[in-house]
């Protein structure tokens, strides 16, 4: 076989390199294509990605608007505090993540719970999340932050920022008016869509119902960060069109109709008794006080994570401090209700003011005996006396003339059994039974005179919230003009725009004013005439009030007997509720007050003093003003 | 004497242009670390000196030293596995005190000289070499590849294999054997995949493949963080780039290894498609110039050295740009004349010196 010479060899190699050149050209073509694809076709998109690489945009949470009392006190406000976050990308790209967390935790003095949580959130963080600062600790006091920051310079990716802390200066005294804020829950994010998951949101009361106004507008600030999330000062020409900062805008202030001193008085007057008090300005329907006892301290709950111990203490207490009993709890109105059948009797011409019935203590109705609370009997009782001495027999005598339909219709004129529309969430409507309701709830039991008798003395199935009771007495004081209850006076936005909430007439009753005056005179007698159920407990050092006591059974005697006599706690919970409803002053009424003391046993001696303390406080303050 | 200093500007101009662009990029990449930049300038100057020394040397001397050089290279490759310096999990460097010498760079030169020399010694039959004929060269290459693979340095190992393969194939190979070799490769590849590649290497290959067919960011965020950032840098350069020292990916250090293997993405970010096409065209021009010179040479050794040199530059550019733009897995292959590093710079100086030497001599004799 022939052997090639050097020339042929070189020629052969040269031929091959010709072919190799094509291959090389082809591979370069591929590289060009790839570069053109990346830089020309996808260039915009990668530009954006590189921008988002080094742009850390933080939402600035706006300071929350204040809630004020009508006498200018802060009921809820924000104070500056500090918080510490980390940029997760700095941690999660490292292998020694546990060690990193240990070090951070020891510097920040995290509890083992907080530490475990931090670890869990960090390891669940992928993608974009890794560039968004993650909150580690907040509510840090100024002094501590100074100490932390000297250590924290060693940790890239750790950010210290200022934040806000919600403070309720009146604490439990106004808790059921202000409510509290806490971290937004997953279900709430669906309602408040633009909120981020670290956001606080109003949970109850005004914090909740005025959430959108109180919250304010988010601001935004962007930083240039390097590959491990450190903020870098950067020459401006390098980052074109860098997003400009937007200032956060503080939320609107809510000025309530509440008078802080009345809340304080109510808080003090209740002591450790369970119950609620409502004060309404008669002419406007404005709520001057709304207090439920025992209350809770919203300062303890206004945290990202409510300590379990505190939460359990509140939620498991048999006295239900988290329940706003003024609007979320219903009671048998008892004798405070009697002004409705009294008015109905006058209105329908069933009685005249002079008409008397004889009260012998008890009366026989078929095969049952119906008794007055005063077994000794009130003897001859007219309308006036029936209210002053709270005679039940008088009303039993009306039962034959007041049918269930009449009863339901007449009571509904006072907006009973319906929501009042107060701007606090969670209100319950109470119960105003009608024929249909009774048939459903007591099937097979005919609506006899006996049933109606119970109904007329405010037992039966009638249930009212303390707010409804206060509204009822305000309507009487107003001679039949019902006002919608309002708890907000005006909303002031940060730019000075004021939205007034004006009083609103609910209904003007087409009932003779003289009938109201007749009953109101009798209500005056309750506290101011010997024999009146509140005579011994009334404060007559201030202009005289008109009011009505009530003592209502919570539970039937039969049911009470089933409870173990040794179980004092449960037995106490079955005691009668004490009520007192009033308006003040009797001449030219300004406010209506309703007080319910759960298991107070006696309206005159237990509920009335609280109401009088409130009225006294109102009077003294007004005289100063 | 006169003849010795003749110069071929068609080679020197693109080389100087590439060097210039490289230093420009490095001055941007090393803006926070200027001492390294000055070291690189020293390497470039040393490179230029080495280039002219090699260029004016006797080419026969290089052919004669091919075998001793190969032997020395083998010893150093073994030595580096024993006493080499570990950087980033790989043991590829010998600490010479003033520099870390990457032995595989020397292997690249020594394999080119070795194969060119061996094939030059071996007369070619009319219908080409049988595989048996090039068996010793194949074994010599595979030994180097194996040793480098164990450092580990998969990229250099493959690169050396490819250079040897192309050099052997560009001399005459019997067609029957060629077909056999292709089938053999088809069989051996899955075996290599299963039994030789490390898991992390497989992961990189899989990750790249996955990224090419989908936009799965999960994988690219974790396994392919480097490639992803590099692609963002390249892509965000767009048409004309962000401007010198204004590449955010570079300046804020999102690009990993931004002065060595990923220097191309720094360049691409700051000078855009305009810059990258210019650079690629320079490389392409240089490579075709070298290959064109083959037809003018008189001897097989020189021809094969030219083929080897062209292939060396080509494969380096191909793999490096390929990995920086995310179409090839990340392997430690520098961009010749561009990346920071002394070993690579000196290797290129010698290789281009040989090319220039051959080119000038073939023209003037």
């Amino acid at each position: 076989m022939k052997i090639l010479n050097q020339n042929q060899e070189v020629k052969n190699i040269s031929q091959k390199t010709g072919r190799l050149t094509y291959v090389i050209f082809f591979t370069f073509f591929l590289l060009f294509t790839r570069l053109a694809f990346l830089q020309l076709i996808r260039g915009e998109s990668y530009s954006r990605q590189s921008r988002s690489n080094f742009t850390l945009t933080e939402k600035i949470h706006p300071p929350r608007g204040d809630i004020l009392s009508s006498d200018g006190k802060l009921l809820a406000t924000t104070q500056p505090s500090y918080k510490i976050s980390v940029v997760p990308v700095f941690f999660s790209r490292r292998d020694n993540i546990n060690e990193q967390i240990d070090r951070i935790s020891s510097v920040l003095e995290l509890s083992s719970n907080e530490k475990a949580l931090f670890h869990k959130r960090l390891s669940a963080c992928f993608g974009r999340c890794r560039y968004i600062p993650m909150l580690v600790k907040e509510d840090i006091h100024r002094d501590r932050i100074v100490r932390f920051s000297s250590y924290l310079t060693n940790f890239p990716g750790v950010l210290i920022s200022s934040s806000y802390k919600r403070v309720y200066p009146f604490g439990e005294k106004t808790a059921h008016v202000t409510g509290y804020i806490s971290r937004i829950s997953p279900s709430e994010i669906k309602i408040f869509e633009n909120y981020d998951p670290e956001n606080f949101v109003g949970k109850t009361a005004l914090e909740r119902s005025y959430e959108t106004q109180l919250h304010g507008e988010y601001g935004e600030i962007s930083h240039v960060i390097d590959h491990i999330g450190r903020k870098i000062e950067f020459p401006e020409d390098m980052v074109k069109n860098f997003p400009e900062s937007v200032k956060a805008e503080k939320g609107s202030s809510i000025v309530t109709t509440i008078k802080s001193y009345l809340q304080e008085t109510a808080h003090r007057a209740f002591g450790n008794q369970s119950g609620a008090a409502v004060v309404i300005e008669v002419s406007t329907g404005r709520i001057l006080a709304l207090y439920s006892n025992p209350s809770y301290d919203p300062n303890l709950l206004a945290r990202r994570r409510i300590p379990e111990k505190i939460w359990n203490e509140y939620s498991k207490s048999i006295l239900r401090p988290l329940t706003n009993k003024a609007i979320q709890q219903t009671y048998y109105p008892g004798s405070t209700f009697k002004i409705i059948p009294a008015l109905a009797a006058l209105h329908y011409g069933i009685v005249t003011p002079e008409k008397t019935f004889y009260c012998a203590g008890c009366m026989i109705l078929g095969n049952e005996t119906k008794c007055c609370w005063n077994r000794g009997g009130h003897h001859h009782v007219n309308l006036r006396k029936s209210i002053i001495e709270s005679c039940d027999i008088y009303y039993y005598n009306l039962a034959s003339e007041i049918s269930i339909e009449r009863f339901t219709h007449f009571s509904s004129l006072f907006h009973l059994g319906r929501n009042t529309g107060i701007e606090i969430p969670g209100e319950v409507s109470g119960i105003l039974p009608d024929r249909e309701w009774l048939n459903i709830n007591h099937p097979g039991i005919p609506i006899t005179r006996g049933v109606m008798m119970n109904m007329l003395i405010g037992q039966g199935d009638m249930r009212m919230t303390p707010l409804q009771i206060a509204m009822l007495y305000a309507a009487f004081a107003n001679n039949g003009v019902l006002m919608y209850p309002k708890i907000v006076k005006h909303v002031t936005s940060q730019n000075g725009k004021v939205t007034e909430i004006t009083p609103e007439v609910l209904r003007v009753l087409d009932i003779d004013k003289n009938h109201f005056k007749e009953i109101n005179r009798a209500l005056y007698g309750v506290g101011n005439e010997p024999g009146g159920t509140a005579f011994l407990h009334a404060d007559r050092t201030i202009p005289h009030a008109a009011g009505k006591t009530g003592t209502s059974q919570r539970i039937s005697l039969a049911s009470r007997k089933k409870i173990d006599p040794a179980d004092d706690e449960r037995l106490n919970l079955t005691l009668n509720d004490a009520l007192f409803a009033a308006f003040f002053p009797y001449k030219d009424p300004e406010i209506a007050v309703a007080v319910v003391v759960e298991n107070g046993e006696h309206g005159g001696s237990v509920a009335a003093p609280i109401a009088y303390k409130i009225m006294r406080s109102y009077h003294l303050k007004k005289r100063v003003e | 004497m006169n003849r010795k200093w003749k110069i071929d500007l068609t080679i020197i101009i693109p080389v100087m242009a590439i060097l210039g662009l490289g230093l420009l990029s490095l001055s941007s990449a090393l803006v926070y670390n200027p001492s390294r930049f000055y070291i690189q300038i020293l390497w470039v100057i040393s490179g230029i000196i080495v280039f002219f020394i090699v260029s004016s040397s006797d080419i026969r001397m290089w052919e004669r030293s091919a075998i001793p050089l190969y032997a020395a290279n083998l010893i150093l490759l073994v030595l580096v596995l024993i006493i080499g310096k570990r950087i980033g999990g790989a043991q590829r460097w010998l600490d010479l005190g003033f520099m870390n010498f990457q032995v595989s760079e020397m292997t690249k030169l020594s394999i080119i000289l070795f194969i060119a020399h061996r094939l030059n010694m071996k007369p070619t039959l009319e219908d080409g070499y049988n595989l048996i004929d090039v068996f010793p060269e194949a074994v010599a290459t595979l030994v180097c590849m194996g040793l480098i693979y164990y450092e580990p340095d998969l990229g250099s190992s493959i690169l050396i294999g490819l250079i040897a393969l192309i050099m052997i194939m560009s001399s005459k190979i019997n067609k029957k054997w060629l077909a056999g070799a292709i089938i053999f490769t088809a069989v051996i590849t899955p075996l290599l995949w299963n039994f030789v590649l490390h898991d992390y290497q497989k992961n990189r290959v899989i990750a790249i493949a996955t990224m090419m067919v989908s936009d799965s960011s999960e994988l690219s965020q974790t396994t392919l963080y480097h490639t992803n950032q590099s692609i963002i840098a390249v892509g965000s350069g767009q048409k004309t780039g962000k401007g010198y020292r204004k590449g955010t990916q570079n300046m804020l250090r999102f690009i990993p290894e931004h002065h060595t293997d990923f220097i191309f993405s720094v360049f691409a970010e700051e000078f855009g498609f305009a810059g990258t096409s210019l650079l690629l065209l320079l490389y392409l021009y240089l490579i075709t110039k070298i290959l064109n010179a083959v037809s003018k040479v008189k001897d097989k050794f020189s021809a094969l050295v030219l083929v080897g040199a062209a292939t060396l530059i080509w494969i380096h550019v191909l793999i490096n740009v390929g990995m920086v733009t995310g179409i090839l897995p990340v392997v430690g292959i520098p961009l010749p004349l561009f990346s920071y590093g002394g070993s690579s710079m000196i290797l290129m100086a010698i290789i281009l010196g040989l090319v220039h030497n051959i080119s000038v001599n073939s023209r003037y004799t």
Side-chain angles (χ1 to χ4, degrees), chain A residues 172 174-177 179-180 204-205 270 273-278 290-297 301 311 313-331 424-428 463 465-466 554 596 598:
Chain A
E172 55 182 9
T174 57
H176 290 293
V177 174
Y180 65 95
T204 56
F270 266 98
Q273 302 171 98
S274 176
V278 178
L290 186 88
Y291 181 73
S292 175
N293 203 56
S295 186
Y296 63 92
D297 186 353
L301 301 185
W311 182 254
E313 204 172 291
Y314 281 146
S315 61
K316 288 182 181 159
S317 160
I318 52 163
L319 298 180
R320 310 180 315 290
L322 295 174
T323 305
N324 183 353
K325 290 164 191 148
I327 61 165
Q328 293 174 334
Q329 182 69 54
T330 60
Y331 300 91
I424 293 183
E427 186 196 7
V428 296
R463 290 187 78 92
T465 62
R554 303 200 110 197
V596 177
E598 294 186 338

Side-chain angles (χ1 to χ4, degrees), chain B residues 42 89 109 134 162 174 235 242 276:
Chain B
L42 287 182
L109 171 68
V134 293
L162 281 173
N174 191 319
K242 295 176 183 169
T276 54

Side-chain angles (χ1 to χ4, degrees), chain A residues 347-451:
Chain A
H347 180 68
Y348 291 121
I350 300 164
V351 296
T352 60
E354 294 76 32
K355 161 92 180 170
T356 58
F357 293 105
Y358 189 78
C359 170
C362 287
M363 66 189 282
I364 291 162
L365 180 73
N367 56 359
E368 76 179 301
T369 309
K370 301 289 282 186
C371 287
C372 186
W373 66 270
N374 183 352
R375 300 293 162 95
H378 292 102
H379 311 292
H380 294 282
V381 180
N382 62 8
L383 182 91
R384 187 175 157 73
K385 192 172 170 187
S386 79
I387 288 173
I388 292 174
E389 299 189 12
S390 201
C391 175
D392 293 337
I393 301 288
Y394 183 91
Y395 294 91
Y396 294 158
N397 282 296
L398 298 178
S400 57
E401 298 292 331
I402 299 178
S403 67
I404 179 69
E405 281 75 20
R406 235 178 197 186
F407 170 83
T408 309
H409 167 71
F410 200 80
S411 302
S412 72
L413 294 178
F414 292 93
H415 208 67
L416 304 188
R418 316 253 305 265
N419 281 347
T420 65
I422 186 177
E423 305 103 309
I424 293 183
E427 186 196 7
V428 296
S429 61
I431 299 168
L432 172 59
D434 56 12
R435 184 175 292 279
E436 196 189 343
W437 191 94
L438 289 169
N439 285 339
I440 291 168
N441 287 278
H442 308 294
I445 297 172
I447 302 166
T448 57
R449 245 180 94 193
V451 170

Side-chain angles (χ1 to χ4, degrees), chain A residues 316-319 554 563-575 599:
Chain A
K316 288 182 181 159
S317 160
I318 52 163
L319 298 180
R554 303 200 110 197
I563 296 169
D564 176 7
D567 191 350
D568 276 350
E569 202 172 60
R570 281 197 63 198
L571 214 52
N572 281 339
L573 287 180
T574 67
L575 298 177
N599 318 115

